[in-house]
Amino acid sequence: MLKKETHCVPKHIAFIMDGNGRWAKKQMKPREYGHSVGAKKFKEIVQHCADIGVEYVTVYAFSTENWKRPKNEVETIMKLFRDYIHEAEKDFRKSDVKILFIGNRDVFDDKLKDEMCRVEKLTENRKKTLCIAMNYGGRGEIVDAVNRLISSGKTSVTESDITNTIYSGAVPPPDMIIRTGGEIRLSNFLLWQSAYSELFFSDTLWPDLTTEEVDRLIDTYYQRNRRYGGV
């Protein structure tokens, strides 16, 4: 439960959903099972954030480096992704959340790309936003943005140019980035956007994350002094 003195919540929270495979191993289950449980946890945490008033949530679902994982694991993640898109398209009237997919879509087949675009179109007028980072890499995002600017005729670029051209576009930078699973790094996630984000690293494996822990981290966020380079 958020403390009573917390009068507002961060505008944007991003999650690095780490620990699904290790959680499954602890349960003596295959890694694929951990991703299935993690997908259910993703829905719970995103809904909680919406319920407490967070306007933007970004989740790191699949990185450009994750293709190196075992074939069965990658296939399971892709199936869960397709299932989520179908579910979102079927039930889009039940939610007030706009869905954006950020990342390089070139690797996906035309059918999946069409489905992603359709869900984005169906939900485009919603008040809150969920960004799903799929085949996403922070360095690649910056390179793609610069190349698009060059293709448009730019001979030099500004910070504003890049900010407006990256995958997430008009979405504001995250106030908080929460990584579960005990690792202490960003792993190529939101490198441009995270310049002044507050970072939180939890030892909790993603499937074990609770809404109570999210609330505690938000309370901790409000105890920090965000100076943005000032005093």
Side-chain angles (χ1 to χ4, degrees):
M1 181 69 68
L2 290 173
K3 293 181 179 178
K4 292 181 180 179
E5 60 265 29
T6 301
H7 300 296
C8 59
V9 295
K11 190 171 187 177
H12 184 179
I13 301 178
F15 293 92
I16 301 176
M17 305 182 293
D18 197 15
N20 290 324
R22 282 174 286 154
W23 181 89
K25 186 176 181 180
K26 288 176 64 176
Q27 310 298 318
M28 306 297 289
K29 300 281 188 179
R31 290 177 60 87
E32 297 82 46
Y33 177 72
H35 290 293
S36 297
V37 176
K40 295 177 182 177
K41 179 61 64 173
F42 147 73
K43 295 175 186 176
E44 176 190 343
I45 296 299
V46 168
Q47 185 60 56
H48 176 69
C49 288
D51 290 344
I52 63 176
V54 178
E55 295 181 39
Y56 300 88
V57 172
T58 298
V59 295
Y60 204 4
F62 192 84
S63 77
T64 50
E65 293 78 24
N66 286 157
W67 296 104
K68 302 172 187 175
R69 294 189 174 191
K71 182 179 178 182
N72 287 346
E73 185 174 349
V74 171
E75 289 177 347
T76 295
I77 294 171
M78 288 299 150
K79 182 182 184 302
L80 290 167
F81 181 50
R82 289 180 183 273
D83 290 346
Y84 178 77
I85 291 175
H86 295 158
E87 181 182 321
E89 185 173 357
K90 180 180 177 182
D91 299 333
F92 78 96
R93 290 185 181 86
K94 297 179 182 179
S95 174
D96 194 29
V97 176
K98 174 168 63 178
I99 298 174
L100 294 177
F101 300 103
I102 62 173
N104 188 329
R105 304 187 190 189
D106 292 344
V107 299
F108 302 130
D109 59 55
D110 289 342
K111 181 180 179 183
L112 181 56
K113 285 188 279 191
D114 288 345
E115 290 171 345
M116 292 164 72
C117 289
R118 190 158 56 245
V119 167
E120 288 178 328
K121 183 68 175 177
L122 284 171
T123 63
E124 65 182 350
N125 295 318
R126 305 296 171 79
K127 294 179 180 178
K128 295 175 181 177
T129 301
L130 168 64
C131 293
I132 300 177
M134 199 69 187
N135 193 40
Y136 175 91
R139 288 181 174 179
E141 176 178 40
I142 297 168
V143 170
D144 285 351
V146 172
N147 283 332
R148 283 198 295 272
L149 290 165
I150 292 171
S151 297
S152 72
K154 285 275 189 179
T155 56
S156 64
V157 298
T158 66
E159 288 189 14
S160 294
D161 289 332
I162 295 176
T163 297
N164 293 329
T165 311
I166 54 177
Y167 300 138
S168 53
V171 174
D175 301 294
M176 299 176 66
I177 297 178
I178 298 172
R179 179 172 188 153
T180 58
E183 303 290 355
I184 305 176
R185 56 178 176 268
L186 288 176
S187 295
N188 204 16
F189 182 53
L190 301 182
L191 299 184
W192 183 265
Q193 300 92 323
S194 63
Y196 281 100
S197 301
E198 295 294 321
L199 307 181
F200 297 83
F201 299 98
S202 170
D203 289 332
T204 303
L205 301 175
W206 176 255
D208 288 331
L209 185 67
T210 64
T211 57
E212 289 79 13
E213 182 171 358
V214 172
D215 289 348
R216 287 196 297 272
L217 291 172
I218 292 174
D219 285 333
T220 302
Y221 165 82
Y222 278 105
Q223 296 170 24
R224 295 187 182 183
N225 182 13
R226 305 183 76 194
R227 297 187 296 274
Y228 298 97
V231 294

